[in-house]
Amino acid sequence: MTNFTLSDLEAIVAARANSDDEMSYTRKLISKGVSKCAQKLGEEAVETAIAAVEGDRDGVASEAADLLYHLLVVMKVSDVSLDEVLAKLAARTGQTGLEEKASRTDD
């Protein structure tokens, strides 16, 4: 088991987003704006789903890692912190998924 957390990844994304390093993929991606970042997130989500359907366990793990990274990049360019997302998840744990979904006003 690793001690690496999503908080660690969030900090790395933030540091690289603000870096002067011309070789930083994160910096380059973020400089292209939210649309490009969101496009990459979508691509990784599809690749993760395909790996799952194909029964490719290692592929799911690899693509899920890419998916989480790109999710944190989209969150960074959208100025949404991991703590905000975790708070939303924590608030939902007191009810069933169907109850929580029914309570949303944005659906």
Side-chain angles (χ1 to χ4, degrees), residues 17-81:
N18 297 319
S19 165
D20 291 334
D21 184 0
E22 294 292 327
M23 298 304 293
S24 170
Y25 174 74
T26 302
R27 180 178 179 261
K28 185 175 181 179
L29 180 59
I30 288 175
S31 74
K32 293 181 180 181
V34 69
S35 293
K36 183 63 175 180
C37 295
Q39 175 189 346
K40 292 298 295 178
L41 175 63
E43 290 170 7
E44 296 303 339
V46 170
E47 290 170 5
T48 303
I50 290 169
V53 168
E54 292 177 346
D56 180 358
R57 188 177 184 284
D58 187 59
V60 170
S62 180
E63 295 299 342
D66 292 343
L67 179 60
L68 289 171
Y69 162 78
H70 282 90
L71 175 59
L72 288 171
V73 168
V74 167
M75 289 167 51
K76 173 68 177 164
V77 298
S78 300
D79 196 29
V80 173
S81 72

